[in-house]
Amino acid sequence: MKKLVYTLMLLVGFATVSFAQEANEIVVTEGSEELVNSKRDGEYTFVLNGKTEGDISGAAAHYTHYFKVVFEESKQTVKLEMIENDARARAVIMRFLVASGVRHADVDGKIIPINEFMTNHLQ
């Protein structure tokens, strides 16, 4: 009986750890309606949980020709201001997100792969 209890505790522990890691891989958006406005205005706001100033500034350093990045670590909020608001520059947003460790996007409470996010909301 003890082995069964310990085995279940171990499995729950692994499941918890793997879920916690996955949460760091999800960018939270302000929703599909706001993404349409952002696409028009060239200003995006995302929430990247579990990131530090070093994580974001390191990833953003490669994309300074495309957008300006402001990261508020206390709120885990990233604000992007496009230098040129065109399809190519918006595609670079996806490269920035991937460089920041993002693999999925939360749009209106639905988790989608980052490639689908780019195709449906950035292009």
Side-chain angles (χ1 to χ4, degrees):
M1 186 65 168
K2 276 186 173 180
K3 285 184 180 180
L4 179 63
V5 171
Y6 286 127
T7 303
L8 289 174
M9 287 176 48
L10 183 67
L11 290 174
V12 169
F14 280 130
T16 303
V17 169
S18 66
F19 178 74
Q21 290 174 343
E22 189 173 316
N24 291 343
E25 297 179 350
I26 299 172
V27 62
V28 180
T29 69
E30 294 182 312
S32 57
E33 187 175 316
E34 187 57 37
L35 285 168
V36 170
N37 294 336
S38 295
K39 189 174 180 179
R40 183 188 63 237
D41 300 337
E43 295 180 7
Y44 290 84
T45 302
F46 301 113
V47 176
L48 294 169
N49 292 310
K51 306 299 180 194
T52 65
E53 178 69 36
D55 296 335
I56 300 303
S57 62
H62 303 287
Y63 307 111
T64 57
H65 297 296
Y66 298 99
F67 44 77
K68 297 176 187 174
V69 177
V70 177
F71 180 61
E72 192 173 337
E73 193 166 1
S74 64
K75 294 182 180 179
Q76 297 286 286
T77 303
V78 174
K79 293 185 181 190
L80 301 176
E81 183 181 332
M82 306 299 295
I83 293 174
E84 271 196 49
N85 190 14
D86 59 12
R88 176 182 158 96
R90 287 191 303 271
V92 176
I93 292 174
M94 188 190 82
R95 290 181 13 207
F96 163 72
L97 293 172
V98 170
S100 300
V102 172
R103 303 292 177 257
H104 306 284
D106 179 334
V107 180
D108 296 328
K110 182 179 177 191
I111 307 297
I112 59 173
I114 196 70
N115 291 335
E116 186 178 324
F117 172 69
M118 183 189 82
T119 303
N120 295 339
H121 300 285
L122 297 178
Q123 293 298 309

